[in-house]
């Protein structure tokens, strides 16, 4: 019989496991629930892939990011291992074909998004296949205490209820003790094995530079770095602006954030991985699952939202074990950004109620009606009609959804994205030769100022109204323009709909779980305050030991290389 090492060698070509991998694999094969806390790049994927190939049966992986799932499915398929992804781009017909194949035992690995689990049909499907393991990627997303809470992850708590005898492997790169406890509780893990690694990175030099003119300091740093660099900013705008500035200074640099097309993002990532560009300026969207050697510096141009986030991002430097720097550029008024985020993220209860009232007005739901009814819900139109700030609206709606009043389809908050690829001359030329397409293109350019320079979220129904046609007309013609190579069009996944889960009561009766609200607000504030301690903490001796203790390590040793350890004042 083949051993797990044989499988590793045959499919992956690696000679040996890393120590923690073997521990996880053994525990999984023993049928235990497992929680692994290992840094990005540690090789967590193998921890569920190898046992599945060894013991047969199907592994169902739940992951928050479609792109990550696609990569893994591609990777496995390439190795002649049967894997498939459910959810995302498939229509229901394609999905039922795949499900049928799965029932017949065609796939060893099934990737799906957490939302899927709330569908009855999907739960029934899971009962029909031979699941041997549930693997939950980025499991910290389940905890409201975590920095990356995703309401959809809460649905995972039904796994143990429906399948009490199937083991769960929960994986994450970082979790403070309180989030660990929460993950175990929410997923109802039974006497889980907790497998983790030391958190310290002996070769990573942490430092904070309080500066008046950041760009100046940044350039000094960049001029000395010999290797790849990531620079993190908090907003897409800041990413774009900084990228332009650095380009003007002739650095080999490009930008990365969720507002760019998938194609552009892939291209930037690829060029950076291949060392064709030295620097990526990015929001926190960049880096999950990336494992590149030769990264000599990670620079935070602004204060990140939590220690967890900072630790993960900074830890992308020096993966190869050679010396690297994690530098934070700091200015006291950087805190203003987080104060405004907090105000938007936690709208007053009155505002949440008001947004709920707007929602029922928007779908024109009479009192006493609504249960299990679905309505088309267009987020942009909604915000425009009631003149609500988008971030406030989004967060208020999220609260309402979490309370179980309504459910939004996943397309509700992700509009279509268009990027114009042709220059003005080509466009004018094209417009003169194509009547209908020309008008569509013109309307697009007029409605979205700046679309010639950067990709923009668009709203097909707005364009349809301007053109006095229907949405289908707009979609078809945008696709045609894409075929002509004039633009790229990432159409929003599905018709965004909102479903009411019970009959409408007056908004003032809407029961809000205040405990939850207060808990999450407190957790948010605490994360920011913790970061304040990291930056300013008078009692801090060493940055590394501060981080290690934060993640629950008992008596870490000073690193001797961070700015505090080497400070002359000591
Ligand atoms: P994580 O999910 O923990 O961030 P991945 O599963 O994506 O990490 O793995 C990171 C990289 O490490 C992948 O390229 C993977 O092939 C590689 N890797 C994993 N295990 C081993 C091993 N035992 N030996 C060598 N490379 C490995
Ligand atoms: Mg991973």
């Amino acid at each position: 019989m083949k051993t797990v090492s044989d499988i590793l060698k045959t499919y992956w070509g690696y000679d040996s496991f890393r120590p923690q991998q073997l521990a996880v694999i053994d525990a999984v094969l023993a049928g235990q629930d497992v929680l692994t806390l290992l840094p990005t790049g540690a090789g967590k994927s193998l921890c569920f892939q190898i046992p599945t190939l060894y013991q047969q049966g199907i592994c169902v992986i739940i992951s928050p990011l479609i792109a990550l799932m696609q990569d893994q499915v591609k990777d496995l398929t390439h190795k002649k291992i049967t894997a498939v992804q459910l959810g995302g781009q498939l229509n229901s017909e394609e999905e039922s074909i795949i499900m049928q194949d799965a029932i017949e035992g065609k796939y060893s690995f099934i990737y799906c998004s957490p939302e899927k689990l709330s569908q009855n049909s999907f739960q029934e499907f899971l009962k029909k296949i031979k699941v041997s393991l549930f693997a939950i990627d980025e499991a910290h997303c389940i905890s409201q205490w975590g920095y990356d809470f995703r309401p959809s992850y809460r649905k995972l708590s039904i796994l143990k209820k429906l399948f009490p005898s199937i083991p769960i492997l929960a994986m994450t790169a970082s979790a403070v003790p309180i989030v660990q406890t929460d993950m175990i509780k929410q997923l109802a893990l039974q006497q889980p094995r907790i497998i983790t690694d030391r958190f310290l990175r002996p070769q990573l030099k942490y430092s904070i530079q309080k500066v008046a003119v950041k760009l100046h300091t940044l350039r000094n740093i960049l001029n000395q770095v010999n290797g790849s660099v990531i620079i993190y900013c908090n907003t897409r705008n800041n990413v774009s602006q900084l990228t332009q500035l650095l380009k003007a200074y002739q650095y080999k640099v490009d930008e990365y954030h969720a507002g760019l097309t998938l194609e552009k993002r892939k291209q930037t990532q690829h060029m950076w991985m291949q060392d064709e560009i030295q620097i990526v300026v990015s929001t926190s969207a960049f880096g999950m699952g990336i494992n590149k050697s030769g990264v000599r510096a990670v620079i935070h141009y602004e204060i990140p939202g939590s220690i967890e986030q900072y630790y993960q991002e900074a830890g992308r430097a020096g993966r190869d074990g050679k010396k690297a720097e994690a530098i934070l550029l700091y200015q006291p008024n950087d805190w203003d950004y987080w104060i405004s985020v907090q105000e938007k993220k936690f709208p007053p209860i009155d505002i949440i109620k008001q947004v709920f009232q707007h929602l029922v007005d928007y779908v024109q739901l009479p009192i006493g009606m609504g249960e299990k009814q679905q309505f088309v819900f267009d987020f942009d139109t909604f915000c425009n009609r009631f003149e609500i700030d988008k971030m406030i609206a989004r967060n208020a709606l999220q609260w309402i959804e979490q309370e179980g009043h309504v459910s939004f389809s996943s397309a509700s908050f992700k509009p279509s994205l268009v990027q114009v690829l042709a220059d003005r001359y080509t466009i004018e030329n094209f417009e003169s030769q194509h009547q209908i397409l020309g008008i569509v293109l013109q309307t697009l350019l007029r409605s979205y100022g700046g679309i010639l320079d950067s990709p923009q979220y668009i709203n097909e129904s707005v364009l349809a109204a301007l053109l006095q046609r229907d949405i289908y007309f707009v979609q078809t013609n945008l696709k045609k323009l894409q075929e002509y190579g004039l633009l790229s069009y990432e159409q929003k996944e599905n018709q965004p709909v909102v479903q009411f889960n019970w009959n409408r009561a007056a908004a003032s009766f809407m029961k809000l779980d205040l405990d939850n609200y207060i808990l999450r607000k407190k957790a948010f504030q605490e994360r920011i305050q913790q970061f304040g301690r990291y930056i300013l903490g008078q009692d801090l001796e060493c940055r590394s030991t501060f981080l290690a203790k934060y993640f629950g390590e008992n008596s870490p040793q000073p690193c001797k290389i961070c700015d505090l350890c080497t400070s002359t004042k000591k």
Side-chain angles (χ1 to χ4, degrees):
M1 173 144 185
K2 273 196 166 183
T3 64
V4 284
S5 299
D6 294 338
I7 297 176
L8 179 72
K9 183 77 188 161
T10 317
Y11 287 102
W12 277 269
Y14 300 142
D15 291 321
S16 59
F17 285 106
R18 295 169 180 156
Q20 311 299 339
Q21 286 178 321
L22 257 190
V24 180
I25 292 169
D26 283 345
V28 167
L29 287 175
Q32 283 183 284
D33 284 344
V34 183
L35 174 61
T36 72
L37 313 156
L38 294 170
T40 312
K44 291 188 286 297
S45 317
L46 286 188
C47 297
F48 61 84
Q49 289 166 339
I50 301 248
T52 304
L53 293 172
Y54 181 80
Q55 70 185 356
Q56 326 245 297
I58 297 170
C59 177
V60 174
I61 304 100
I62 293 114
S63 167
L65 295 178
I66 292 187
L68 274 184
M69 294 196 262
Q70 280 168 346
D71 285 352
Q72 295 210 1
V73 169
K74 215 165 83 187
D75 212 48
L76 290 172
T77 313
H78 190 73
K79 297 184 165 62
K80 305 245 168 355
I81 298 170
T82 52
V84 76
Q85 178 201 341
L86 283 170
Q89 316 288 7
L90 302 171
N91 63 36
S92 54
E93 203 171 318
E94 290 165 324
E95 239 181 53
S96 58
I97 294 175
I98 291 178
M99 285 186 180
Q100 196 49 47
D101 284 348
I103 290 169
E104 285 160 22
K106 193 167 157 198
Y107 299 107
S108 300
F109 296 91
I110 298 176
Y111 285 79
C112 70
S113 59
E115 287 88 1
K116 284 251 103 182
L117 287 172
S118 55
Q119 293 175 2
N120 281 336
S121 57
F122 190 71
Q123 294 174 6
E124 288 308 312
F125 162 72
L126 288 179
K127 287 180 191 155
K128 285 185 205 147
I129 61 177
K130 265 206 182 145
V131 183
S132 56
L133 176 68
F134 287 111
I136 298 165
D137 214 358
E138 314 296 346
H140 60 275
C141 294
I142 202 172
S143 173
Q144 304 207 68
W145 286 106
Y147 67 99
D148 197 11
F149 171 64
R150 295 174 192 234
S152 59
Y153 256 65
R154 287 211 144 178
K155 286 160 189 161
L156 301 185
S157 57
I158 66 155
L159 285 177
K160 266 291 173 220
K161 288 188 197 126
L162 293 179
F163 307 98
S165 62
I166 299 176
I168 292 180
L169 166 62
M171 297 168 287
T172 174
S174 85
V176 289
I178 191 171
V179 175
Q180 284 180 34
T181 318
D182 205 21
M183 282 189 290
I184 294 170
K185 186 175 139 210
Q186 304 275 346
L187 292 168
L189 301 184
Q190 303 299 306
Q191 292 152 354
R193 278 282 310 273
I194 299 177
I195 296 169
T196 175
D197 203 358
R198 282 177 57 81
F199 268 94
L200 287 189
R201 281 298 205 56
Q203 300 288 12
L204 190 55
K205 174 181 161 65
Y206 291 99
S207 66
I208 291 176
Q209 301 196 17
K210 189 174 170 186
V211 290
V213 186
K214 285 188 186 177
L215 184 63
H216 181 74
T217 313
L218 177 66
R219 287 181 55 211
N220 281 339
I221 298 170
L222 291 177
N223 293 341
Q224 285 164 22
V225 178
N226 200 353
S228 302
V229 178
I230 310 175
I231 304 171
Y232 283 107
C233 300
N234 284 333
T235 64
R236 296 172 187 180
N237 262 341
N238 293 356
V239 165
S240 297
Q241 277 173 17
L242 185 60
T243 310
Q244 292 316 316
L245 283 170
L246 292 177
K247 276 187 179 162
Y249 283 115
Q250 311 294 323
Y251 291 102
K252 286 183 154 178
V253 54
D254 221 326
E255 63 183 316
Y256 189 105
H257 58 71
L260 301 168
T261 60
L262 190 60
E263 205 170 324
K264 163 78 185 156
R265 274 180 282 157
K266 274 193 181 152
Q267 186 198 350
T268 303
Q269 180 171 333
H270 181 79
M271 287 177 67
W272 184 74
M273 294 295 288
Q274 302 295 316
D275 293 324
E276 287 162 32
I277 51 173
Q278 184 197 6
I279 307 163
V280 175
V281 185
S282 167
T283 59
S284 57
F286 183 71
M288 220 191 228
I290 280 181
N291 189 25
K292 180 185 192 313
S293 62
V295 183
R296 295 277 72 84
V298 168
I299 301 165
H300 282 79
Y301 206 63
E302 288 160 322
I303 305 173
S306 68
I307 302 246
E308 287 93 318
Q309 184 189 338
Y310 180 70
Y311 175 79
Q312 281 217 31
E313 290 171 353
R316 291 182 181 128
R319 275 267 149 79
D320 47 15
K322 296 181 193 141
K323 282 203 169 79
E325 302 227 26
I327 304 169
L328 175 78
L329 300 180
Y330 169 69
Q331 257 167 24
N333 51 8
D334 285 351
W335 294 111
D336 295 351
Y337 171 76
W338 289 108
I339 292 167
S340 77
V341 169
Q342 184 188 319
E343 279 164 10
K344 289 183 172 174
K345 242 180 138 66
F346 299 94
I349 304 286
D350 288 351
I351 302 264
I352 299 180
K353 288 189 175 167
Q354 196 182 28
V355 169
F356 185 66
Q357 183 63 49
H358 289 328
L359 181 66
V360 287
D361 290 345
Y362 179 87
V363 301
Q364 300 182 337
L365 183 70
I367 289 181
M369 301 263 292
E371 192 173 346
K372 297 289 171 229
Q373 271 177 292
Q374 292 197 344
F375 302 86
V376 173
F377 176 73
D378 190 87
F379 182 62
D380 277 2
T381 320
F382 176 76
C383 294
N384 290 340
R385 185 175 306 165
F386 298 102
E387 295 176 354
I388 331 172
D389 176 278
K390 281 190 183 171
M391 188 157 170
I392 292 178
R394 213 194 136 123
N395 283 299
L397 292 172
Q398 205 174 53
W399 281 107
I400 294 163
E401 182 173 34
Q402 248 172 274
E403 292 312 309
H405 296 278
V406 297
S407 331
F408 294 97
S409 65
S410 58
S412 297
F413 302 110
K414 195 177 175 296
S416 301
L417 187 68
V418 168
Q419 177 166 22
V420 175
L421 303 169
D423 55 31
R424 236 173 239 288
Y425 174 76
T426 316
I427 288 173
E428 274 166 25
N429 210 2
F430 183 86
E431 280 174 355
S432 65
Q433 288 170 18
H434 299 81
Q435 208 199 349
I436 294 175
L437 283 172
I439 292 170
V440 174
L441 192 55
Q442 244 176 40
T443 314
L444 177 77
L445 297 183
R446 275 205 220 115
S447 313
Y448 298 94
I451 201 167
L452 278 171
D453 305 316
S454 60
Q456 306 265 329
Y457 287 122
I458 61 130
N459 187 331
E460 287 90 341
S461 50
V462 170
L463 290 174
L466 289 170
L467 289 159
Q468 301 185 328
R469 302 295 289 262
D470 59 12
I471 290 188
Y472 182 71
F473 172 86
V474 175
Q475 291 168 338
T476 325
N477 282 295
L478 286 175
K479 279 182 204 153
K480 279 189 196 155
L481 289 167
Q482 171 161 271
E483 277 161 25
Y484 276 105
L486 293 169
L487 50 80
S488 78
Y489 174 43
E490 273 173 29
Q491 198 183 331
K492 102 169 95 187
E493 284 168 20
N494 289 303
Q495 174 85 297
V497 290
V498 56
Q499 173 179 311
F500 282 74
N501 292 334
W502 45 65
N503 288 333
R504 178 194 164 183
S508 54
F509 288 110
M510 191 174 80
K511 279 189 268 81
L512 266 177
D513 184 346
L514 282 175
D515 290 350
N516 251 345
Y517 181 91
I518 292 165
L519 174 84
R520 284 188 58 203
K521 187 162 179 179
K522 207 169 118 212
F524 180 89
Q525 286 166 338
E526 244 160 51
R527 284 197 294 275
I528 303 296
Q529 278 161 12
Q530 282 290 357
F531 213 85
R533 278 196 59 216
Y534 176 74
I535 294 182
L536 304 167
Q538 263 88 35
D539 50 341
L540 277 188
E541 301 235 328
C542 162
R543 305 242 180 246
S544 284
T545 52
F546 176 86
L547 293 170
K549 280 186 198 152
Y550 183 81
F551 290 112
E553 229 176 270
N554 283 332
S555 44
Q557 295 298 307
C559 70
K560 301 203 178 75
I561 53 172
C562 73
D563 56 348
L564 295 177
C565 281
T566 54
S567 130
T568 45
K569 274 183 233 142
K570 264 194 170 170

